[in-house]
Amino acid sequence: RLRLRGELDRAALGRALDGIVARHEALRTTFTQANGVPEQRIAPAEASRFHLAEHDLGGRADAEAELGRLQTGEARAPFDLERGPLIRGRLVRLGADDHVLLLTIHHIVSDGWSMGVFFDELSVLYAAHVRGAEAHLPALPVQYADYAMWQRRWVEGEVLQAQAEYWTRTLAGAPELLEL
């Protein structure tokens, strides 16, 4: 939830959100199964847009209560890992200069640290689009899929074997089922 006070350029916000989705493969990724094996699929940037649902609660006496209902509904809505998208948003207008941006991102494609990056980049992109300019964010040297492949190669072989042996020894004698 991000409260936006002041004049809001909705078109610039939409372009900024589209830019983030295009920039980060993880936000365009879905997860399917091929022959029972999980597999990630990354949609092309040019075919991916951020869908921003809009709600106008301006002038309504129950605006804050309705905002709460929208937040609860958004937080409870499931994601479809196979079809995506795994990021969605709602822009709620409370007044001419008062909006709330609700962003919901599945934890499989984002974490707490990533949200800081997300909002920093959103700010840069939005500011540029408001001015009618293109933002100049540095190119990303790697995407998450690159990191995952590196990590998988790193843990294969001796590293994986050493980890398996360590945890087998460490957990020897532990109960098979822990009732909580």
Side-chain angles (χ1 to χ4, degrees), residues 1-4 91 99-103 119 122:
R1 171 186 165 141
L2 183 63
R3 194 76 177 239
L4 306 170
L91 180 63
H99 296 78
V100 175
L101 178 61
L102 302 175
L103 290 171
F119 285 116
L122 181 64

Side-chain angles (χ1 to χ4, degrees), residues 57-70 92-95:
L57 304 180
R60 288 182 49 169
D62 68 340
E64 288 296 330
E66 182 60 21
L67 174 61
R69 283 190 288 279
L70 286 170
V92 183
R93 181 185 176 276
L94 299 172

Side-chain angles (χ1 to χ4, degrees), residues 4-78:
L4 306 170
R5 304 260 188 197
E7 186 178 339
L8 178 67
D9 184 330
R10 291 193 334 252
L13 178 61
R15 286 186 65 204
L17 289 164
D18 284 345
I20 296 226
V21 169
R23 181 171 166 78
H24 295 280
E25 288 179 350
L27 300 178
R28 295 182 273 117
T29 300
T30 53
F31 299 86
T32 61
Q33 288 201 22
N35 299 319
V37 177
E39 180 176 281
Q40 69 178 12
R41 302 215 176 188
I42 302 169
E46 56 278 358
S48 301
R49 299 201 44 148
F50 187 94
H51 177 71
L52 185 63
E54 295 191 38
H55 304 272
D56 189 350
L57 304 180
R60 288 182 49 169
D62 68 340
E64 288 296 330
E66 182 60 21
L67 174 61
R69 283 190 288 279
L70 286 170
Q71 287 179 164
T72 300
E74 183 59 38
R76 291 183 177 163

